[in-house]
Amino acid sequence: MTNPNVVVSDTQSAIAMAITAVSGNNPTLFPPSVTSPYNINMFSRNKFPKSMETASMGSHVGGGKNIGWVDAMRASSPTRNSSENSEEKKNWIMKHPSALGVFEEIMSAAKMKQVVIFLDYDGTLSPIVSNPDQAYMAPEMREAVKNVAKYFPTAIVSGRCRAKVYNFVRLSELYYAGSHGMDIKGPSSRKHKKGNQNVLCQPAKEFLPMLAEVYKILLEKTKGIAGANVENNKFCLSVHFRCVEEESWSDLAYRVKYVLKDYPKLRLTQGRKVLEIRPTIKWDKGKAIEFLLESLGYANSKDVLPIYIGDDRTDEDAFRVLRERGQGFGILVSKVPKETQATYSLQEPFEVMHFLQRLVTLKRSILRSH
């Protein structure tokens, strides 16, 4: 890799190096890494998702001209009032069955393969809360994640700043991909690594001064909207509107867009009750898991089963990558039907914890039998 913003200790490329992840006592599951440099390109405006393009047409408050963005904000933040027994829900569950209900089927696909676990944080490991600074994970969930990481390479892939996610999780043996994968760092411990190399990927480093500048402007421009919360996630910015009255959404969207019109190298996307400002580079959670899999030595391997669990629209990029690879599974965490590229579903973080616990129990039983 020649990109100066992607760094590894020593002189090896992050993509070229093989980080040996050991499952039990079988190190042969990890083939050598294949070198293939990543090209970090800029998004062209005509390649934005259609929903975002449509929404961007409305550039003024009032007169319905900003209605596209409000509709998009609603679509990205569905209510949870759907009947648990609705026909729509039943049909959706048939299409995306519970990962707990088909656990044996998933494990059958994992035979003779190395499972690699990717986890979103908010809404997946912790509940969605009004104050993003209080999105703590339960001690039982932390224990489940810690145990999973003993047997499987495990990564947290979040829109949050990597340092914030680490402060919530506090497990040094994990990989952390913050800012939607634009800030990746490997574990400090060496359980799943070969030698002393430490993977570090920061493809949007050049945007840091610009993002810091926009953060200060957004703080000033949004302070008149009750409930609006601007969060600096280092390589991206988040404008939370979970506590904003819906009649103010249009005003908030306009203010954010008004600021960004002077920054064409930044783009606006959406998550659950959040507007997100990111650099216009072709990098997302999907690219992040590709980078991690290649760093682990699985660029073109058939001996790996990636499992990605997430609840947000931004996780769809990762689900899509797994579908395109034709291996592994995406698991959407949601109580309501949503359009998704995920194969399976789970209802809430409690079910995520149960799924992780079952993975550990099964792995331990296999090791005992040997």
Side-chain angles (χ1 to χ4, degrees):
M1 184 187 300
T2 59
N3 192 308
N5 291 327
V6 183
V7 182
V8 233
S9 59
D10 303 328
T11 59
Q12 297 297 315
S13 157
I15 296 301
M17 80 176 188
I19 304 174
T20 300
V22 181
S23 173
N25 297 314
N26 189 0
T28 62
L29 289 174
F30 299 89
S33 179
V34 179
T35 303
S36 70
Y38 275 76
N39 294 317
I40 311 301
N41 299 317
M42 305 296 284
F43 271 105
S44 62
R45 290 288 178 181
N46 62 4
K47 289 186 178 180
F48 283 169
K50 283 187 177 181
S51 63
M52 307 303 290
E53 272 298 309
T54 303
S56 68
M57 298 298 181
S59 58
H60 302 287
V61 179
K65 293 184 179 180
N66 213 37
I67 192 65
W69 260 105
V70 174
D71 287 344
M73 290 162 82
R74 288 196 191 102
S76 69
S77 310
T79 62
R80 298 188 178 274
N81 294 329
S82 300
S83 169
E84 292 293 320
N85 298 314
S86 69
E87 197 65 31
E88 179 188 12
K89 179 75 175 286
K90 290 178 182 177
N91 292 337
W92 188 81
I93 288 294
M94 288 182 65
K95 188 176 179 182
H96 306 285
S98 167
L100 289 172
V102 296
F103 184 80
E104 288 77 13
E105 178 183 316
I106 296 173
M107 291 302 99
S108 177
K111 285 182 180 177
M112 304 303 294
K113 295 181 181 179
Q114 172 64 59
V115 173
V116 180
I117 302 295
F118 298 100
L119 302 163
D120 183 25
Y121 184 75
D122 293 275
T124 299
L125 298 182
S126 74
I128 295 292
V129 294
S130 298
N131 184 348
D133 292 331
Q134 295 179 353
Y136 305 114
M137 65 192 302
E140 297 83 3
M141 179 67 86
R142 180 175 289 103
E143 187 68 16
V145 175
K146 182 176 182 178
N147 288 332
V148 161
K150 290 177 182 177
Y151 303 105
F152 313 106
T154 303
I156 307 293
V157 186
S158 172
R160 299 269 200 156
C161 166
R162 175 167 57 83
K164 289 182 182 178
V165 178
Y166 182 85
N167 286 338
F168 278 128
V169 179
R170 302 194 307 277
L171 294 173
S172 61
E173 57 267 45
L174 308 184
Y175 294 83
Y176 289 89
S179 303
H180 300 289
M182 288 183 283
D183 189 7
I184 303 174
K185 194 173 188 302
S188 56
S189 59
R190 302 297 176 219
K191 180 174 177 59
H192 295 298
K193 302 178 74 175
K194 178 192 285 187
N196 294 318
Q197 292 174 315
N198 190 19
V199 60
L200 172 66
C201 175
Q202 296 179 333
K205 203 170 185 177
E206 66 184 275
F207 291 89
L208 286 176
M210 183 186 299
L211 287 163
E213 180 178 308
V214 172
Y215 172 65
K216 291 179 181 178
I217 297 172
L218 285 173
L219 283 176
E220 181 64 28
K221 295 294 184 182
T222 62
K223 67 181 182 181
I225 298 180
N229 181 0
V230 184
E231 184 179 16
N232 187 344
N233 286 310
K234 191 171 181 177
F235 292 95
C236 65
L237 306 175
S238 300
V239 182
H240 299 275
F241 59 92
R242 181 167 300 278
C243 297
V244 176
E245 294 294 333
E246 190 168 332
E247 55 263 30
S248 297
W249 288 6
S250 179
D251 186 15
L252 179 63
Y254 169 70
R255 295 188 192 200
V256 173
K257 288 190 298 171
Y258 185 82
V259 171
L260 292 184
K261 70 180 177 59
D262 295 326
Y263 297 90
K265 291 187 177 181
L266 300 178
R267 62 190 176 106
L268 189 59
T269 62
Q270 294 166 286
R272 287 178 62 180
K273 297 268 178 97
V274 63
L275 300 175
E276 295 179 307
I277 295 95
R278 303 194 229 172
T280 52
I281 62 171
K282 290 185 177 179
W283 197 270
D284 51 36
K285 289 183 176 182
K287 290 288 186 183
I289 68 169
E290 285 182 324
F291 175 89
L292 285 166
L293 286 170
E294 196 160 355
S295 297
L296 284 163
Y298 291 120
N300 301 299
S301 174
K302 302 297 183 184
D303 297 327
V304 62
L305 188 85
I307 297 177
Y308 187 105
I309 308 178
D311 73 307
D312 195 64
R313 173 177 288 191
T314 59
D315 297 311
E316 292 297 326
D317 296 315
F319 297 153
R320 190 174 298 108
V321 162
L322 295 185
R323 279 196 178 271
E324 290 172 355
R325 285 175 65 97
Q327 61 182 166
F329 303 110
I331 302 175
L332 177 69
V333 183
S334 179
K335 288 186 175 181
V336 297
K338 293 181 184 178
E339 276 296 319
T340 182
Q341 292 288 318
T343 306
Y344 302 113
S345 65
L346 291 169
Q347 295 276 304
E348 57 192 348
F350 180 80
E351 289 196 352
V352 174
M353 182 178 70
H354 188 26
F355 181 84
L356 298 179
Q357 289 170 339
R358 288 187 68 177
L359 276 176
V360 171
T361 299
L362 178 62
K363 183 64 178 180
R364 285 173 174 168
S365 68
I366 291 172
L367 292 176
R368 281 196 300 269
S369 67
H370 287 74

